[in-house]
């Protein structure tokens, strides 16, 4: 698997798929048992310090020491990342302001809420202008409204910052918006990868909402087609799950043979979640 | 962009220990100083400063050894709390992380030891006992000896931390090994390490001389013997302290290097 600079990648997969392991391998915290991994042409296990100078990482767990003050931790991390005191101060001020934590700068990390702590850790990952930003479950332990905030911040930052992003999350709806490419992992293997458009064309089966002059008769006729896998009536429409795109040819034929008017043919929007389910089903 | 982060790491580690354990250590120092003061006054009635120093200071070296080990074994607590992972997510090498732990544990325990040295010096000065050159050499040699002992204790704490990676197991093993080392039980302490034969003078060097108290005792005794007629005893203590210095240095260096190698190879989960 190769990741190219400047792109935004989403890492998706069931629990235990190997997403966090993959991230730890990139950060040089784990040594590969098989194969090899290169980040910026360096072996992260052997050259972890060099690799870490160029990456910013947010781990799944909250790791910031709770006894430190918010601003102090920024200065500390800034110095570790090789920034001068002035640079660290400037970046800390900008990031705290951007993340709405400026008022909390003199508080101890332990007194922050889970959402605020996550935003703080997120900000630390962005310190020192890293070339690769890795976010592992950025919304872990955060309530639903906090999740929305965190993902919106990531969305904004990913548009404003010129870096490569690797985001692992179960919030597929946000990945759709943020990422250029999605990578599906399962049991340590890449099941599928590509842009949303590529994944849709490869894995999705058309689901269409159709409104006719007699939905009951239309549903009955459509059910017998080989190109259809599922039919149901929903309100004054018929929802058809097609097996292939051949189905579109059959609709007109059925309507004209049965003397029905077609009022509406509307393809339903495919989501990453439906594609994810399709890939998981295929894997099983 | 600057690339030196070692001082930052060291200062941060110092700060963490000041916040975490300084109050405890300081309270311990005050209590021990107060208890020790009464003994010290009695000892000085007809004692010479350096001899009084020699008979009491090894006991405090033992306390310093415990402090050094406890501070270094906090590495495993840092690992469990995720602080090690937090630091290693930034451009921080594993060696610098361990070195900062070693330096801070060493400085803290040496500070603890220094408080008692200062107490002795102050008490002797107040009591009007002449300190002299011998006392000065005694202090210097006790610092050299205690440094070796402290480094061994730090090595032990780090080694159990990186081997077991579990706070309960690491702390238990460290304490057990420390108890064995400092309060060496008779059957071990009485094992003969070497026999010194100087003319008609023949005396064994026991395993007990490798304990912190035993080692400090022999090094200070060597300085304290100034009577020329007892040159053979001076030589005996010199050999005993040299063996102790050599063996404890090797143990300290071996434990620290082994810890570094194991930590370098350790995966961080």
């Amino acid at each position: 698997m190769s990741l190219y600079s400047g792109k935004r990648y989403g890492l998706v997969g069931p629990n235990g798929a190997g997403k966090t392991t993959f991230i730890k391998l990139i950060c040089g915290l784990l040594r590969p048992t098989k194969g090899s991994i290169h980040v910026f042409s360096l072996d992260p296990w052997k050259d972890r310090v060099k690799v870490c100078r160029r990456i910013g990482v947010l781990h799944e767990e909250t790791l910031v020491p709770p006894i430190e003050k918010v601003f102090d931790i920024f200065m500390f991390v800034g110095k570790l990342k090789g920034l001068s005191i002035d640079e660290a101060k400037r970046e800390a001020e900008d990031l705290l302001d951007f993340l709405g934590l400026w008022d909390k700068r003199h508080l101890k990390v332990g007194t922050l809420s889970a959402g605020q702590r996550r935003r703080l850790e997120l900000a630390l990952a962005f310190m020192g202008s890293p070339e690769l930003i890795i976010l592992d479950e950025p919304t872990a332990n955060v309530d639903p409204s906090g999740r929305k905030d965190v993902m919106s911040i990531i969305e904004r930052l990913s548009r404003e910052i010129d870096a490569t992003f690797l985001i692992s999350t179960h919030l597929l709806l946000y990945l759709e918006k943020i990422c250029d490419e999605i990578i599906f992992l399962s049991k340590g293997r890449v099941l599928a990868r590509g842009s949303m458009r590529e994944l849709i064309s490869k894995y999705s089966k058309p689901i269409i909402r159709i409104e006719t002059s007699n939905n009951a008769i239309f549903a009955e006729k459509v059910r017998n087609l080989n190109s259809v896998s599922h039919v149901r009536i929903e309100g004054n429409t018929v929802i058809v799950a097609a097996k292939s795109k051949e189905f579109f040819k059959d609709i007109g034929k059925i309507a004209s043979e049965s003397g029905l008017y077609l009022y509406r043919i509307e393809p339903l929007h495919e989501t990453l979640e439906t594609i994810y389910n399709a890939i998981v089903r295929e894997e099983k | 962009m600057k690339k030196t982060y070692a001082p930052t790491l060291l200062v941060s580690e110092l700060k963490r220990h000041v916040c975490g354990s300084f109050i405890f250590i300081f309270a311990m120092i005050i209590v021990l100083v107060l208890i020790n003061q009464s003994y010290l006054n009695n000892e000085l009635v007809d004692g010479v400063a350096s001899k009084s120093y020699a008979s009491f200071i090894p006991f405090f070296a033992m306390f310093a050894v415990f402090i050094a080990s406890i501070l270094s074994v906090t590495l495993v607590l840092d690992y469990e709390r995720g602080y090690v992972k937090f630091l290693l997510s930034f451009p921080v090498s594993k060696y610098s992380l361990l070195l900062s732990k070693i330096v801070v544990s060493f400085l803290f325990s040496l500070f603890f030891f220094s408080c008692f040295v200062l107490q002795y010096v102050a008490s002797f000065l107040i009591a009007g006992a002449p300190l002299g050159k011998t006392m000065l050499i005694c202090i210097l040699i006790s610092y050299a000896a205690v440094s070796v002992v402290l480094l061994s204790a730090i090595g032990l704490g780090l080694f159990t931390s990186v081997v077991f990676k579990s706070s309960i197991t690491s702390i238990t093993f460290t304490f057990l090994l420390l108890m064995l080392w400092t309060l060496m039980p008779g059957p071990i302490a009485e094992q003969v390490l070497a026999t010194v034969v100087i003319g008609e003078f023949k005396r064994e060097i026991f395993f007990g001389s490798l304990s912190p108290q035993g080692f400090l005792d022999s090094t200070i005794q060597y300085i304290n013997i100034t009577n020329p007629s007892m040159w053979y005893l001076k030589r005996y203590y010199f050999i005993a302290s040299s063996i102790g210095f050599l063996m404890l240095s090797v143990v300290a260096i071996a434990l620290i290097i082994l810890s570094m190698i194991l930590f370098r190879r350790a995966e961080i989960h």
Side-chain angles (χ1 to χ4, degrees), chain B residues 230-249:
Chain B
M230 294 176 84
W231 65 273
Y232 54 89
L233 202 59
K234 193 174 174 77
R235 198 159 167 191
Y236 164 80
Y237 280 121
F238 175 74
I239 294 169
S241 58
S242 298
I243 290 175
F245 186 81
L246 202 73
M247 290 188 81
L248 290 174
S249 301

Side-chain angles (χ1 to χ4, degrees), chain B residues 193-211:
Chain B
L193 203 64
T195 306
V196 178
V197 183
I198 307 163
E200 287 180 11
F201 176 82
K202 187 181 172 189
R203 197 161 156 182
E204 279 98 7
I205 296 173
F206 295 102
F207 211 76
S209 66
L210 292 180
S211 71

Side-chain angles (χ1 to χ4, degrees), chain B residues 22-84:
Chain B
F22 191 74
I23 296 167
F24 165 74
I25 292 176
F26 203 70
M28 200 170 153
I29 289 168
I30 290 171
V31 171
L32 284 172
V33 162
L34 288 174
I35 294 170
N36 192 32
Q37 199 60 40
S38 54
Y39 289 101
L40 199 60
N41 290 338
N42 296 337
E43 183 68 17
L44 264 177
V45 174
D46 51 12
V48 177
S50 62
K51 282 186 180 164
S52 177
Y53 182 80
S55 55
F56 277 91
I57 208 73
F59 177 70
F60 296 102
M62 184 187 79
F63 276 96
V65 160
F66 270 88
I67 300 245
S69 259
I70 291 166
L71 292 180
S72 61
V73 91
T74 54
L75 176 72
V76 75
L77 296 173
D78 289 346
Y79 177 78
E80 283 183 343
R81 285 182 199 149
Y83 187 66
V84 169

Side-chain angles (χ1 to χ4, degrees), chain B residues 182-233:
Chain B
T182 53
L183 311 170
M184 213 178 266
I188 302 174
E190 285 159 14
Q191 292 294 314
V192 176
L193 203 64
T195 306
V196 178
V197 183
I198 307 163
E200 287 180 11
F201 176 82
K202 187 181 172 189
R203 197 161 156 182
E204 279 98 7
I205 296 173
F206 295 102
F207 211 76
S209 66
L210 292 180
S211 71
Q213 304 98 297
F215 176 54
L216 253 89
D217 187 53
S218 27
T219 49
I220 303 174
Q221 289 295 356
Y222 160 70
I223 304 296
N224 257 335
I225 297 167
T226 46
N227 188 347
S229 63
M230 294 176 84
W231 65 273
Y232 54 89
L233 202 59

